[in-house]
Amino acid sequence: MSIALDFPEFPFEEPPGSISCLQKPWNGVLVRVDHIHFTTGDKVTFDVTVYSDTAGQILAAKTQGVVRVTADTTSVSYTIPWDGVLDAVAEGSITVLYTLAPVDGSTPSTSQEAMVQYSRQQPGGTVCGPDS
């Protein structure tokens, strides 16, 4: 039996629905799943796609992160990496979904996709990054 999964969240969106230079994306962008009962040994796979447009149509980068749950919990987090992923665009969008593979071998469940706008553009036309 599959379980209904909540949307992944971007807990440091600022303003809501947006990741910008304020979040220092060169340190990675946190994605969190809350309010789900995770059991020790569950595997949570985050599928991240970065687009070079705000509509999520022009693919710029993809990555996948696997988190093994090490203790019973109701929250699992993954940090989207900078190198080769978040540094791929100066402005666009990020989508994330995740799949929960329960340790008990029951059928994996996949969440719906969450999207956030992403911009490293600053006033005056400069682009923020680890060296700026």
Side-chain angles (χ1 to χ4, degrees):
M1 177 177 90
S2 64
I3 58 173
L5 299 180
D6 202 4
F7 285 90
E9 301 171 359
F10 298 89
F12 297 110
E13 298 173 272
E14 183 67 35
S18 182
I19 299 292
S20 67
C21 296
L22 293 173
Q23 289 79 35
K24 300 179 182 175
W26 48 91
N27 294 327
V29 170
L30 185 68
V31 180
R32 182 178 297 142
V33 178
D34 282 326
H35 313 296
I36 304 283
H37 178 72
F38 297 101
T39 302
T40 302
D42 285 352
K43 181 174 88 170
V44 181
T45 304
F46 290 86
D47 289 294
V48 178
T49 308
V50 176
Y51 297 94
S52 60
D53 66 308
T54 58
Q57 301 295 316
I58 304 169
L59 177 66
K62 290 185 86 158
T63 193
Q64 191 175 68
V66 176
V67 176
R68 297 262 183 204
V69 178
T70 59
D72 290 1
T73 186
T74 58
S75 181
V76 171
S77 298
Y78 170 70
T79 301
I80 302 169
W82 170 256
D83 291 331
V85 183
L86 295 172
D87 65 348
V89 299
E91 193 162 32
S93 56
I94 303 168
T95 62
V96 178
L97 59 82
Y98 64 97
T99 301
L100 168 60
V103 69
D104 67 9
S106 59
T107 304
S109 299
T110 300
S111 74
Q112 293 186 43
E113 189 174 78
M115 178 184 264
V116 67
Q117 301 304 304
Y118 177 61
S119 178
R120 297 189 296 121
Q121 296 288 342
Q122 298 184 93
T126 60
V127 175
C128 68
D131 300 323
S132 61

